[in-house]
Amino acid sequence: MNLVVAGSGIAGLTAALHAQQSGHSVTLVTKDALGGGCTPLAQGGVAGIYGPGDSPRQHAADTLDAGAGLSDAMAVDVLVGEGSARIAELIARGVAFDRDVNGTLLLGREAAHSHARIVHAGGDATGAEISRALIAQVHDRGIDIVEHAFLLDLLIEHGAVRGVRMLHHGVTLDITADAVILATGGGGQLYQHTTNPLGATGDGIAAAIRAGAAVADLEFVQFHPTVLAAGGSFLISEAVRGEGATLIDDRGRRFVFDSHPDGEMAPRDVVAGAIARQAGLQRSPVRLDATMIGAARLTQRFPTIDRSTRERGFDWAREPIPVTPAAHYLMGGIRTDLDGRTSIPGLFAVGETACTRVHGANRLASNSLLEAAVFAARAAAAAAVPAHSIPLRSQFTSLKPANSDTNCDRSGGFAHSRGLLQELMWDRVGLVRTPDGLAEALTSIRSWAAAAPAPASVADYETANLLTVAEAAASAALARTESVGAHQLSREPALIGA
Ligand code: SIN
């Protein structure tokens, strides 16, 4: 069979390698050069190696707790049941996870994990190491790679996906395939402040929405609690708190305990909310105090963060550093079953592009690389089954394409730019939301989408994709009338500290 895999993070690379090793002909298309995207930026690690007293069952319980009751228990079972094998596979593919002098894997701990079970590489450079090793494998195995290829749309024939339409160096390129696996990442660029790179514009999710695929849980956007509040949104890994760093207010008080008995090790949504509230109250960023970890350990365990904070003028070994939340991860995406199948025959989705419902309303730290590896391998196996033999699952419901009722009306709308959309999403569809704010946001997004001129460049297509995903996210947020996980509703105007 011919398979197209779109995206070259851990999910896309894993899917491509598995499909090719099963004897299929694989074309890997990627928007940037190989090595771009979110995976190489991942700091924390991959959860799923169990020491004494720990088990897959404990990992599942932590994942379900963090997900605030909205995770799919079967998907979580698959995650923890197959996770260790996928980590072993990464090692076999050449990923050099950190080990002690005896060669035993070093395990880190992050918030809301009951045990240290996170493997990491290069201290805080896990994603870069995974990316390096998997890209080397993809080259070694001679997989066809098309770089700098932007996903314009899915090719649909008789209701099934038959390939992809790409924009490649200014030329439209159709690649036909028996199945397409979308691994194009999330949509961090929906927001003014994000840990995601510029290319995270929801391209695969938007293409799937245009094709009529079911999407789910797009209201659940994870805001990472701690990015440096100066010099760009540089991520300060949760693993730093796992090593003992504390969050303090302007009087030096550990304020997160006011919100949760686990303090800094509470789930991400709780910590991010507490930081935003405190920063709003004190009208200045809160601080992360890592001084007790000591200069030597900070440099050895977190070399990337150590270097990057110093480049930005901070000495975190000597003084607490200012931190603030930023958009980090989309729990929702294209709805899939346990094998990555979407509601459209022949279309699969994996990684942040997909919604397996593993993460529910809030993702547990270091479960994303794991989810990507586990479900990409499964999707590659399932994609080898001809599309016409796959029954559609009844839980899938299809979302109307965002612009379907407004395409004809291109007059009288409001001018928009990506920056205005990002500001609007941050203010109105951010950490703390109000029903009125969400309704206003939806109205603006729809007006901007209706008034948008036909895209003339990759940047225009990306902005159009962001508008499509923003509309779906704001609609989903408006429809969810209770606070849960990362979707926090307030009757008060939002207090955002960034
Ligand atoms: C971090 O290192 O804090 C990020 C890890 C993750 O998002 O899972």
Side-chain angles (χ1 to χ4, degrees), residues 43-44 110 224 235 237-239 268 328 363 365-368:
Q43 294 179 359
E110 293 182 45
H224 196 287
L235 179 71
S237 175
E238 204 158 54
R268 257 182 208 176
H328 185 57
R363 177 174 66 84
S366 288
N367 264 357
S368 52

mmCIF file of all heavy atoms in Angstrom, residues 43-44 110 224 235 237-239 268 328 363 365-368, ligand 1:
data_model
loop_
_atom_site.group_PDB
_atom_site.id
_atom_site.type_symbol
_atom_site.label_atom_id
_atom_site.label_comp_id
_atom_site.label_asym_id
_atom_site.label_seq_id
_atom_site.Cartn_x
_atom_site.Cartn_y
_atom_site.Cartn_z
ATOM 1 N N GLN A 43 11.232 19.193 26.505
ATOM 2 C CA GLN A 43 12.267 19.144 27.544
ATOM 3 C C GLN A 43 12.078 17.952 28.475
ATOM 4 O O GLN A 43 12.998 17.158 28.691
ATOM 5 C CB GLN A 43 12.238 20.444 28.369
ATOM 6 C CG GLN A 43 12.621 21.673 27.582
ATOM 7 C CD GLN A 43 12.555 22.940 28.425
ATOM 8 O OE1 GLN A 43 12.211 22.909 29.603
ATOM 9 N NE2 GLN A 43 12.881 24.070 27.810
ATOM 10 N N GLY A 44 10.883 17.838 29.048
ATOM 11 C CA GLY A 44 10.639 16.930 30.176
ATOM 12 C C GLY A 44 11.063 15.500 29.929
ATOM 13 O O GLY A 44 12.028 15.010 30.517
ATOM 14 N N GLU A 110 7.530 14.552 37.462
ATOM 15 C CA GLU A 110 6.908 15.838 37.158
ATOM 16 C C GLU A 110 5.569 15.902 37.870
ATOM 17 O O GLU A 110 5.106 14.912 38.456
ATOM 18 C CB GLU A 110 6.769 16.020 35.640
ATOM 19 C CG GLU A 110 8.134 16.144 34.962
ATOM 20 C CD GLU A 110 8.046 16.367 33.463
ATOM 21 O OE1 GLU A 110 7.241 17.183 33.018
ATOM 22 O OE2 GLU A 110 8.795 15.681 32.740
ATOM 23 N N HIS A 224 1.000 25.763 29.874
ATOM 24 C CA HIS A 224 2.100 25.336 30.735
ATOM 25 C C HIS A 224 2.280 26.406 31.803
ATOM 26 O O HIS A 224 2.308 27.598 31.495
ATOM 27 C CB HIS A 224 3.385 25.159 29.927
ATOM 28 C CG HIS A 224 4.424 24.381 30.669
ATOM 29 N ND1 HIS A 224 5.123 24.916 31.733
ATOM 30 C CD2 HIS A 224 4.868 23.115 30.524
ATOM 31 C CE1 HIS A 224 5.949 23.984 32.201
ATOM 32 N NE2 HIS A 224 5.813 22.889 31.491
ATOM 33 N N LEU A 235 10.278 27.882 27.681
ATOM 34 C CA LEU A 235 9.736 26.909 28.639
ATOM 35 C C LEU A 235 10.728 26.587 29.753
ATOM 36 O O LEU A 235 11.905 26.326 29.501
ATOM 37 C CB LEU A 235 9.400 25.620 27.873
ATOM 38 C CG LEU A 235 8.829 24.454 28.693
ATOM 39 C CD1 LEU A 235 7.413 24.760 29.153
ATOM 40 C CD2 LEU A 235 8.838 23.176 27.865
ATOM 41 N N SER A 237 10.950 23.703 32.248
ATOM 42 C CA SER A 237 10.328 22.385 32.407
ATOM 43 C C SER A 237 9.738 22.173 33.808
ATOM 44 O O SER A 237 10.309 22.591 34.819
ATOM 45 C CB SER A 237 11.371 21.299 32.151
ATOM 46 O OG SER A 237 10.806 20.031 32.403
ATOM 47 N N GLU A 238 8.634 21.441 33.793
ATOM 48 C CA GLU A 238 8.008 21.044 35.048
ATOM 49 C C GLU A 238 8.953 20.158 35.873
ATOM 50 O O GLU A 238 8.832 20.065 37.093
ATOM 51 C CB GLU A 238 6.750 20.260 34.699
ATOM 52 C CG GLU A 238 5.716 20.261 35.747
ATOM 53 C CD GLU A 238 4.353 19.959 35.153
ATOM 54 O OE1 GLU A 238 4.222 18.942 34.467
ATOM 55 O OE2 GLU A 238 3.443 20.753 35.390
ATOM 56 N N ALA A 239 9.877 19.522 35.175
ATOM 57 C CA ALA A 239 10.847 18.667 35.870
ATOM 58 C C ALA A 239 11.673 19.483 36.867
ATOM 59 O O ALA A 239 12.219 18.925 37.822
ATOM 60 C CB ALA A 239 11.761 17.991 34.854
ATOM 61 N N ARG A 268 -1.209 20.447 36.103
ATOM 62 C CA ARG A 268 -0.851 21.677 35.399
ATOM 63 C C ARG A 268 -1.945 22.734 35.366
ATOM 64 O O ARG A 268 -1.665 23.921 35.480
ATOM 65 C CB ARG A 268 -0.535 21.321 33.946
ATOM 66 C CG ARG A 268 0.906 21.306 33.707
ATOM 67 C CD ARG A 268 1.196 21.007 32.292
ATOM 68 N NE ARG A 268 2.495 20.361 32.332
ATOM 69 C CZ ARG A 268 3.126 19.854 31.304
ATOM 70 N NH1 ARG A 268 2.577 19.911 30.123
ATOM 71 N NH2 ARG A 268 4.293 19.311 31.448
ATOM 72 N N HIS A 328 0.425 25.643 25.513
ATOM 73 C CA HIS A 328 1.458 24.613 25.389
ATOM 74 C C HIS A 328 0.992 23.411 24.576
ATOM 75 O O HIS A 328 1.746 22.891 23.757
ATOM 76 C CB HIS A 328 1.848 24.172 26.799
ATOM 77 C CG HIS A 328 2.985 23.201 26.860
ATOM 78 N ND1 HIS A 328 4.222 23.458 26.318
ATOM 79 C CD2 HIS A 328 3.066 21.952 27.432
ATOM 80 C CE1 HIS A 328 5.030 22.418 26.542
ATOM 81 N NE2 HIS A 328 4.344 21.494 27.194
ATOM 82 N N ARG A 363 -3.739 17.270 30.265
ATOM 83 C CA ARG A 363 -2.723 16.232 30.040
ATOM 84 C C ARG A 363 -1.733 16.145 31.196
ATOM 85 O O ARG A 363 -1.272 17.163 31.715
ATOM 86 C CB ARG A 363 -1.962 16.541 28.746
ATOM 87 C CG ARG A 363 -0.842 15.572 28.457
ATOM 88 C CD ARG A 363 -0.231 15.856 27.100
ATOM 89 N NE ARG A 363 0.434 17.132 27.042
ATOM 90 C CZ ARG A 363 1.684 17.363 27.440
ATOM 91 N NH1 ARG A 363 2.391 16.379 27.987
ATOM 92 N NH2 ARG A 363 2.221 18.556 27.327
ATOM 93 N N ALA A 365 1.904 15.553 32.576
ATOM 94 C CA ALA A 365 3.220 15.878 32.017
ATOM 95 C C ALA A 365 3.896 14.639 31.438
ATOM 96 O O ALA A 365 3.786 13.537 31.990
ATOM 97 C CB ALA A 365 4.098 16.455 33.123
ATOM 98 N N SER A 366 4.601 14.838 30.351
ATOM 99 C CA SER A 366 5.398 13.796 29.694
ATOM 100 C C SER A 366 4.589 12.592 29.202
ATOM 101 O O SER A 366 5.142 11.534 28.930
ATOM 102 C CB SER A 366 6.572 13.349 30.581
ATOM 103 O OG SER A 366 7.525 14.400 30.602
ATOM 104 N N ASN A 367 3.292 12.782 29.081
ATOM 105 C CA ASN A 367 2.460 11.764 28.437
ATOM 106 C C ASN A 367 2.310 12.027 26.941
ATOM 107 O O ASN A 367 1.757 11.184 26.233
ATOM 108 C CB ASN A 367 1.054 11.737 29.064
ATOM 109 C CG ASN A 367 0.917 10.660 30.137
ATOM 110 O OD1 ASN A 367 1.851 9.901 30.379
ATOM 111 N ND2 ASN A 367 -0.236 10.602 30.773
ATOM 112 N N SER A 368 2.760 13.186 26.459
ATOM 113 C CA SER A 368 2.470 13.480 25.049
ATOM 114 C C SER A 368 3.413 12.747 24.102
ATOM 115 O O SER A 368 2.969 12.192 23.088
ATOM 116 C CB SER A 368 2.507 14.977 24.784
ATOM 117 O OG SER A 368 3.708 15.526 25.256
HETATM 118 C C1 SIN B 1 7.919 20.143 30.565
HETATM 119 O O1 SIN B 1 9.077 19.769 30.461
HETATM 120 O O2 SIN B 1 7.463 20.729 31.540
HETATM 121 C C2 SIN B 1 6.996 19.857 29.428
HETATM 122 C C3 SIN B 1 6.759 18.424 29.332
HETATM 123 C C4 SIN B 1 5.382 18.175 28.786
HETATM 124 O O3 SIN B 1 4.747 19.080 28.257
HETATM 125 O O4 SIN B 1 4.897 17.060 28.971
#
